[in-house]
Amino acid sequence: MISAWSDTSSYASTLPGVDVFHNLNREENLNVESIVDRFNLFGSQVRNILTDVRPWWDPTLWRAVLTPHLQLGSTVFDHDTHISAWADIVRAAEEANDPGKFTTFSAYEFTTSTDVGNGNLHRNVIFKGNQIPVRPHTRIDSINPENLWKWMDGLREMGIDSIAIPHNSNGSNGAMFDMQTFNGKPITQAYSEMRMRNEPLVEMTQVKGTSDTHPLLSPNDEFADFGIYDSRIGSFPRTYSFPSGGYVREAFLKGMVLEYSAQGNPFKFGLIGASDSHTGAGAYSENDFWSKIGIIDGTPEGRGSVPLSDLQASQLPQGGAGVSLTETDQGTYANTGFETWGASGLAGVWAEENTRDSLFSAMRRKETFATTGNRMKVRFFGGFETNKLDLNDENLVKAAYASSSTMGGEILADGEKVPSFLVWAQRDKHGAPLQRVQIIKGSVNQFDASPTEVIYDVACSNGLQVDPTTNRCPDNGARVDIETCAFSKDVGSAELKATWTDPDFNPNDRAFYYVRVLENPTCRWSTWDALRRGLAPRPDIHDTIQERAWSSPIWFVPTGSNELPAAQSMQSDLAEYIE
Amino acid sequence: MSKKLTLFLGIGLSIFLIDLFLNPPNEEKTIYISNEEVIALINTWSLQVGREPDNDEIRSIIDSLVEEEILYREALRLGLDSEDRIIKRRLAQKITFLKQETISTEPAIKDLESFYQETKESYLIPKSFSFTHLYFAQNKEGKSRAARAMQDLSSNKSILSADPFLLGKNFSSKSLLDIERDFGKNFSASFSDLSIDTWQGPIESTYGSHLVKVLDSREEYQPSFEEVIPQVKVDFLMRQRDEQVKEFIDELKTDYQVIISPSFKQ
């Protein structure tokens, strides 16, 4: 739509209110100084004019209400552009699909957000096969994600299967994993089931930040300060996004708490990574990073990794726009939020073959993992016999599948038996060697559902041993030379493999376990940008990062956890007593 | 003969003059809307809305068409179109689309077949290998263990135990590109020299040392036309579209003379 609005020869460009988009991409409008205007356009304007509904007496509005084309009711909606853009996407997906070599899916983004406050609720909707509805369900039809799920449910009944993958929960201001529904109603069992039926996966990491956890939510996680972008997505002026409700680890805990109070678990999802690129090309490598929007973050100056020229610094509007400048000895840097973005991420899927059916089924059963752009691989199994697996057995994977649940699955309680896990990670052959593998455990107490989070290092590089009092690996000594970005090549491991038994296990508590693999430190993209200009890295942002991978969790389900929980039965006892 | 012709031209001329006298030409201010145009608009409308428009709606469709036309002409009159990059690009795009659309969507089988013959090599299935391997992990003295294992194998001793490899033990029909993706470049480079059915190595990968036994290799394979028809069709249409546009441009280019300042310097 936006390219149609900006093209002044199109019908769409004559629609009311879209004149701010006219000639958006003329040469004179393509510069760093346009950052604030563009934020404004894509932040506030798009949202405002999209929801600008025609007046009640306008026959087009009535057509919109009486036909399946609700979007016609918007003053700026051009139905032709909408339908033909979607047809183009579907055709491209069909033409490029090459089973066994390169699998493509027809997909689109449902770009919704909260009604007030700009909480990001974006989802990517991915269709399984080549039977595709004639038009996608969009935010003009409804901004409530539950209506998207209803639409998907309806299509599924007609044999058209799809999943939706929420992304950028970090910029949702707590709305993505809220303890209530979009309309502020309590979450019900039916809501949880509907959400899980349609959203088995969530995006863990992308260019606009990583959503594992936030230092404020996980104060004891010394690796939590990674890929933190805490602004609401598309907010203008840029506005802080409150962490709670925006991060995956906390959502897993919240889901179990909801389940404890018989509301079902709407957050029992697996994990993937993605770029969310707007340019058609994902920038996954720190040393070859072009961010994701195109014009305003396409240069090191624009994304704040090298100082602005004096002219740019004087022309960049500041203040209310959420854009500011930082003066340092090296010069003046732009703070647009881009400086905190990352070269991330990729989705890993364990599937039998590289075809639509096989990949889609694997995504449905959550046998997936996420990486920050590197191609690490990770296996994860859990069960009561998993620690008996022989790590040196040449058929280890086969044996693990036979005896254990894999990522995305469950372990059902069996008396007092204690679950054990197998983790196995392999490095990216072009990345740095591995530093450590961790298991992140979250559980909720059987008596009052109070949550706990613990991180265990389970395998250290170079044969180092985990310190049992801190649960951490000792420093392996790997370092980065900031002046050249060279990193220690002889320290670290090509693969890490271990079995681990939960030392603090309680068979009555709900729990989840997921793997985090950490590489040795390497240069961050901003350091590469500076290095190429012969400059020192910007002093007030991280100069190195640790690339990482996360598996989908395995959940532990206590006996009788589907029965009426203690809290509820007590309530009914009380009710009786009062009578 | 010539008399008749003169008479004919004379009558023609007088009709023309009378007509000119009665209806002075003012084409600039006439908007002629053909039946076809109205029908096309009505059809688009009903396609979008899902029913036929009523008379009022038809009137408003025509009204907006008229308004658009008037504004368009006024804009032209004011010269708003000249040197507008977007209009230029849009028109260029439009003519390209028109050229692309003149292709019938269902190409004849014999055309596809000759296209296939012409571009055969793009359907080649590369040489592939089916192999098994013994893996000796880097961090467990992989190098020396692999060398020892190779010796044991050649002296027919039973092999000491190898390590499990994350991506598995047996690989079927993998191209060199696939192998490179899973093991690294060094590893795949040494692959094409391997002979069938004997243990060879050690070969180094990113992850450690490997002994490899190639069980089978399939030479580069040319699939027959029938096997790849759907792919051929996609490629054929794509090329046809490109060609049509290119031909069209080439044809036009012969009419143009392009002058670039010889002293141009960046």
Side-chain angles (χ1 to χ4, degrees):
Chain A
M1 277 313 292
I2 286 172
S3 65
W5 290 336
S6 75
D7 172 358
T8 49
S9 66
S10 73
Y11 160 70
S13 70
T14 63
L15 295 165
V18 308
D19 45 321
V20 288
F21 289 93
H22 285 176
N23 301 323
L24 187 64
N25 291 331
R26 274 202 173 182
E27 246 119 290
E28 64 268 28
N29 296 333
L30 306 180
N31 54 27
V32 172
E33 297 86 288
S34 71
I35 284 178
V36 172
D37 285 343
R38 282 171 192 274
F39 274 157
N40 185 21
L41 285 183
F42 293 98
S44 339
Q45 298 278 3
V46 172
R47 194 171 18 256
N48 292 346
I49 62 176
L50 277 183
T51 46
D52 223 352
V53 176
R54 289 168 188 271
W56 65 268
W57 43 263
D58 189 323
T60 314
L61 180 71
W62 287 98
R63 280 205 296 277
V65 174
L66 299 172
T67 63
H69 301 306
L70 204 56
Q71 293 158 313
L72 287 172
S74 158
T75 50
V76 294
F77 186 73
D78 182 1
H79 192 262
D80 284 346
T81 308
H82 173 59
I83 295 286
S84 74
W86 177 234
D88 273 355
I89 289 166
V90 172
R91 196 190 58 192
E94 287 308 307
E95 282 184 355
N97 190 38
D98 189 0
K101 290 206 189 78
F102 187 74
T103 302
T104 55
F105 293 97
S106 289
Y108 75 98
E109 181 181 289
F110 174 57
T111 312
T112 191
S113 52
T114 54
D115 204 10
V116 181
N118 237 1
N120 169 76
L121 294 171
H122 299 183
R123 274 110 168 128
N124 285 334
V125 183
I126 298 175
F127 293 92
K128 180 181 186 182
N130 56 7
Q131 241 192 311
I132 309 292
V134 77
R135 67 175 206 77
H137 175 94
T138 73
R139 69 167 291 142
I140 313 179
D141 296 289
S142 163
I143 58 171
N144 183 346
E146 285 159 61
N147 290 325
L148 171 74
W149 306 332
K150 275 181 202 150
W151 179 72
M152 291 166 69
D153 276 348
L155 287 173
R156 201 170 293 115
E157 270 169 34
M158 292 158 56
I160 303 174
D161 200 3
S162 59
I163 57 172
I165 307 180
H167 70 216
N168 255 161
S169 54
N170 56 335
S172 72
N173 195 34
M176 192 67 87
F177 309 122
D178 203 353
M179 298 284 270
Q180 54 187 10
T181 70
F182 183 84
N183 288 329
K185 299 246 162 52
I187 283 174
T188 61
Q189 180 77 34
Y191 172 96
S192 296
E193 281 168 16
M194 184 189 216
R195 184 156 174 164
M196 291 319 302
R197 184 163 65 239
N198 289 294
E199 300 193 339
L201 299 176
V202 163
E203 177 205 83
M204 182 65 140
T205 180
Q206 67 144 291
V207 174
K208 290 199 298 304
T210 290
S211 303
D212 180 10
T213 191
H214 189 284
L216 292 176
L217 298 174
S218 303
N220 299 324
D221 181 351
E222 61 273 50
F223 304 98
D225 184 12
F226 176 85
I228 298 301
Y229 173 64
D230 38 20
S231 296
R232 301 179 199 172
I233 304 303
S235 55
F236 182 85
R238 198 148 60 87
T239 313
Y240 184 72
S241 175
F242 274 88
S244 182
Y247 289 83
V248 159
R249 192 181 303 169
E250 189 204 36
F252 288 146
L253 288 169
K254 282 181 164 183
M256 295 192 303
V257 172
L258 286 166
E259 195 177 42
Y260 182 89
S261 46
Q263 294 169 280
N265 185 347
F267 307 133
K268 204 168 181 176
F269 48 76
L271 302 171
I272 55 109
S275 66
D276 197 17
S277 178
H278 295 193
T279 62
Y284 307 110
S285 302
E286 302 299 324
N287 64 6
D288 187 13
F289 180 68
W290 56 85
S291 201
K292 62 163 257 188
I293 297 178
I295 292 160
I296 52 181
D297 60 350
T299 61
E301 285 83 359
R303 50 184 183 256
S305 54
V306 309
L308 296 167
S309 70
D310 291 345
L311 184 69
Q312 286 170 331
S314 64
Q315 287 184 349
L316 193 71
Q318 290 179 67
V323 173
S324 62
L325 299 175
T326 293
E327 307 280 349
T328 74
D329 295 348
Q330 283 152 218
T332 306
Y333 293 92
N335 297 318
T336 48
F338 304 145
E339 69 279 5
T340 62
W341 290 8
S344 198
L346 289 174
V349 178
W350 289 112
E352 299 82 358
E353 53 180 27
N354 186 1
T355 59
R356 281 182 175 173
D357 274 359
S358 193
L359 291 169
F360 192 89
S361 307
M363 292 196 283
R364 238 198 199 298
R365 66 174 184 266
K366 311 167 204 170
E367 200 173 348
T368 57
F369 59 96
T371 84
T372 51
N374 274 10
R375 289 169 165 78
M376 293 156 262
K377 297 182 185 78
V378 56
R379 290 283 197 185
F380 185 39
F381 294 92
F384 298 117
E385 306 280 302
T386 310
N387 58 345
K388 297 195 180 120
L389 290 167
D390 174 7
L391 285 182
N392 296 317
D393 177 1
E394 270 199 288
N395 296 312
L396 179 58
V397 168
K398 198 174 166 189
Y401 269 114
S403 72
S404 313
S405 301
T406 184
M407 53 182 75
E410 289 179 333
I411 303 171
L412 303 178
D414 183 1
E416 296 292 308
K417 281 188 188 166
V418 178
S420 52
F421 297 86
L422 163 68
V423 294
W424 190 1
Q426 196 187 51
R427 68 172 276 191
D428 176 349
K429 50 187 185 297
H430 302 299
L434 302 180
Q435 185 196 63
R436 73 183 76 208
V437 175
Q438 307 179 305
I439 288 183
I440 295 168
K441 179 192 176 184
S443 56
V444 303
N445 179 300
Q446 59 173 314
F447 300 113
D448 61 358
S450 60
T452 313
E453 168 191 326
V454 195
I455 301 169
Y456 303 92
D457 285 8
V458 298
C460 313
S461 74
N462 304 89
L464 296 166
Q465 293 301 310
V466 180
D467 179 336
T469 53
T470 60
N471 289 323
R472 289 291 171 273
C473 295
D475 180 4
N476 69 2
R479 296 291 179 271
V480 185
D481 178 353
I482 292 299
E483 273 161 28
T484 61
C485 283
F487 56 82
S488 322
K489 291 219 157 57
D490 47 348
V491 188
S493 291
E495 60 173 348
L496 288 171
K497 188 169 57 175
T499 53
W500 175 81
T501 305
D502 184 353
D504 310 305
F505 180 70
N506 183 329
N508 299 315
D509 295 348
R510 287 177 175 78
F512 66 82
Y513 302 84
Y514 68 91
V515 175
R516 181 166 65 185
V517 183
L518 291 162
E519 259 187 14
N520 280 338
T522 46
C523 271
R524 188 171 182 263
W525 62 264
S526 47
T527 307
W528 280 105
D529 272 357
L531 184 77
R532 294 208 173 100
R533 295 284 182 89
L535 300 167
R538 177 172 169 173
D540 59 335
I541 54 179
H542 292 299
D543 52 8
T544 62
I545 57 158
Q546 282 186 273
E547 301 273 5
R548 52 197 71 195
W550 301 265
S551 74
S552 290
I554 295 175
W555 285 267
F556 175 78
V557 185
T559 315
S561 58
N562 292 328
E563 291 162 18
L564 204 60
Q568 289 259 321
S569 48
M570 201 151 76
Q571 243 172 20
S572 48
D573 286 353
L574 270 177
E576 256 171 62
Y577 178 77
I578 290 165
E579 271 172 13
Chain B
M1 186 67 183
S2 72
K3 214 186 231 170
K4 269 186 191 165
L5 188 65
T6 319
L7 187 64
F8 176 72
L9 287 176
I11 294 171
L13 186 66
S14 45
I15 293 177
F16 176 65
L17 288 173
I18 292 166
D19 181 64
L20 201 63
F21 180 67
L22 292 176
N23 302 304
N26 194 355
E27 266 180 42
E28 248 182 78
K29 298 275 152 117
T30 312
I31 293 173
Y32 176 72
I33 296 171
S34 70
N35 293 348
E36 290 73 24
E37 216 168 338
V38 176
I39 289 168
L41 279 170
I42 290 174
N43 286 343
T44 322
W45 194 94
S46 12
L47 256 177
Q48 283 174 15
V49 179
R51 63 172 175 80
E52 296 292 315
D54 60 28
N55 283 342
D56 280 353
E57 282 159 343
I58 292 176
R59 195 165 303 127
S60 81
I61 291 169
I62 295 172
D63 277 352
S64 64
L65 179 71
V66 169
E67 277 169 28
E68 190 179 81
E69 186 63 30
I70 291 173
L71 287 175
Y72 166 71
R73 290 195 193 180
E74 287 304 302
L76 284 187
R77 211 172 52 79
L78 293 171
L80 297 184
D81 58 324
S82 70
E83 294 314 305
D84 186 321
R85 282 282 284 280
I86 288 179
I87 290 178
K88 277 189 188 176
R89 203 170 299 157
R90 173 68 185 166
L91 290 177
Q93 228 175 34
K94 203 165 176 180
I95 199 164
T96 324
F97 283 145
L98 279 177
K99 280 289 133 186
Q100 287 178 347
E101 276 171 14
T102 50
I103 298 166
S104 65
T105 44
E106 203 49 48
I109 275 286
K110 69 172 185 1
D111 290 341
L112 290 181
E113 191 155 10
S114 64
F115 177 74
Y116 164 80
Q117 292 300 342
E118 200 183 314
T119 57
K120 239 176 172 176
E121 67 286 358
S122 62
Y123 303 97
L124 266 185
I125 291 170
K127 185 168 179 174
S128 67
F129 301 87
S130 296
F131 63 96
T132 183
H133 72 132
L134 296 167
Y135 167 60
F136 301 89
Q138 218 168 50
N139 58 350
K140 288 168 66 190
E141 292 159 3
K143 249 190 181 140
S144 54
R145 280 165 66 225
R148 237 176 308 142
M150 191 61 216
Q151 279 174 8
D152 290 350
L153 277 170
S154 14
S155 55
N156 277 332
K157 266 195 248 171
S158 66
I159 168 94
L160 47 90
S161 66
D163 299 319
F165 188 65
L166 189 127
L167 295 173
K169 186 173 167 62
N170 302 317
F171 292 78
S172 160
S173 303
K174 295 283 179 186
S175 71
L176 285 176
L177 203 68
D178 296 332
I179 298 171
E180 181 186 326
R181 201 170 50 203
D182 290 344
F183 294 87
K185 212 164 202 158
N186 296 338
F187 191 87
S188 61
S190 51
F191 232 79
S192 26
D193 306 331
L194 299 181
S195 46
I196 304 279
D197 236 10
T198 55
W199 284 103
Q200 285 158 97
I203 305 175
E204 301 298 314
S205 77
T206 312
Y207 312 103
S209 308
H210 306 250
L211 302 184
V212 176
K213 183 151 93 173
V214 177
L215 302 168
D216 187 20
S217 75
R218 193 167 68 169
E219 286 308 310
E220 207 171 55
Y221 162 69
Q222 179 69 55
S224 70
F225 171 61
E226 283 72 22
E227 288 170 81
V228 289
I229 288 182
Q231 189 53 40
V232 173
K233 198 158 135 186
V234 169
D235 297 345
F236 176 80
L237 288 174
M238 215 180 286
R239 193 178 76 167
Q240 217 181 13
R241 281 201 291 260
D242 292 350
E243 263 177 6
Q244 210 126 343
V245 172
K246 191 176 176 304
E247 257 169 44
F248 174 67
I249 293 174
D250 285 347
E251 202 181 299
L252 292 178
K253 265 186 190 163
T254 56
D255 296 341
Y256 284 82
Q257 192 185 5
V258 179
I259 300 166
I260 298 171
S261 161
S263 58
F264 173 78
K265 264 196 205 122
Q266 187 135 29

